[in-house]
Amino acid sequence: WQRYDIPLADKGFAHAMELADAASPRLRAMIVNRVAACRALSGDLGAAVTLAETALAGLRAAGPVDPDAELALLTALIHPLIEMGALRRARRAAEEGRRALVSARRKDISARYHRQAAQLWQAIGLVDRAEKDLSRALRLFTSIGYDRDAARSRWARGFLWRRLGKLDDARAELQLARDLLAKAGSAEGVL
């Protein structure tokens, strides 16, 4: 009989981290990024931040740093730090990410960074910077065929434009995002 005193999600997280331990630095960072995102979405913001910070410290201590791995881990920090109200720490992660971005080679990792950084810039009132990062994310996701992620970037840009009072542009962008998400098979924005 299976024991049910450990939540299923925690078992999944533990298994993912076992896989991460045996992976290359870049793959390990990508796994940690996803596990941290899942932790944040489940409401465990502190665990998400601790996981990403611990992995980042380990990556940096191990020697030459893979910039894609570093960028993936810095990106993992931004959203939970914003949600925790730790905007200074989130900004530091975003600024460090911008430096890592110069040497990063993976478009998917760079695009995810831009989308998360845009969330921070919007939260601290730097809407022009947010708009630029969302446009970069959209361009990168589109160039590699990540349709759902491109649509999510459009969705975020539509909400940003709504906040700026560009209501016609926002409506058009949100409708396009909704249609693209539906086409990609996602229920996001459809209900």
Side-chain angles (χ1 to χ4, degrees):
W1 292 94
Q2 186 176 11
R3 289 185 50 179
Y4 292 100
D5 57 341
I6 300 173
L8 183 58
D10 287 340
K11 289 179 184 178
F13 294 150
H15 180 66
M17 294 311 298
E18 286 173 16
L19 295 173
D21 288 341
S24 68
R26 184 179 305 154
L27 182 55
R28 182 179 313 117
M30 292 171 73
I31 292 169
V32 169
N33 177 294
R34 297 315 310 149
V35 171
C38 290
R39 286 273 192 202
L41 288 172
S42 70
D44 199 350
L45 300 170
V49 170
T50 299
L51 180 63
E53 285 181 335
T54 300
L56 183 60
L59 176 73
R60 289 174 171 169
V65 175
D66 179 320
D68 290 305
E70 184 178 34
L71 185 59
L73 294 170
L74 289 164
T75 299
L77 286 168
I78 296 171
H79 174 76
L81 286 170
I82 292 169
E83 291 297 312
M84 292 170 66
L87 296 179
R88 281 192 191 134
R89 288 173 65 194
R91 185 170 187 161
R92 186 169 52 245
E95 295 293 355
E96 288 179 23
R98 192 161 301 283
R99 288 190 290 277
L101 189 62
V102 174
S103 302
R105 295 183 307 274
R106 294 271 311 244
K107 288 183 179 182
D108 59 328
I109 293 173
S110 296
R112 286 187 184 98
Y113 163 78
H114 285 299
R115 191 170 59 204
Q116 290 301 311
Q119 184 183 17
L120 170 69
W121 307 137
Q122 184 174 347
I124 62 175
L126 298 175
V127 292
D128 288 343
R129 202 164 173 183
E131 194 165 5
K132 285 178 186 173
D133 269 315
L134 284 172
S135 293
R136 287 180 184 127
L138 175 59
R139 193 169 46 252
L140 287 167
F141 282 133
T142 300
S143 75
I144 56 177
Y146 282 33
D147 298 336
R148 183 175 172 273
D149 286 301
R152 290 179 73 211
S153 297
R154 285 189 178 282
W155 191 263
R157 193 164 63 176
F159 274 98
L160 175 63
W161 287 348
R162 186 190 74 171
R163 181 177 173 193
L164 294 174
K166 300 178 181 180
L167 299 183
D168 290 337
D169 292 336
R171 182 179 299 108
E173 192 74 345
L174 289 168
Q175 287 173 340
L176 178 57
R178 179 199 60 203
D179 294 346
L180 291 170
L181 285 166
K183 184 178 176 185
S186 176
E188 285 177 273
V190 175
L191 302 175

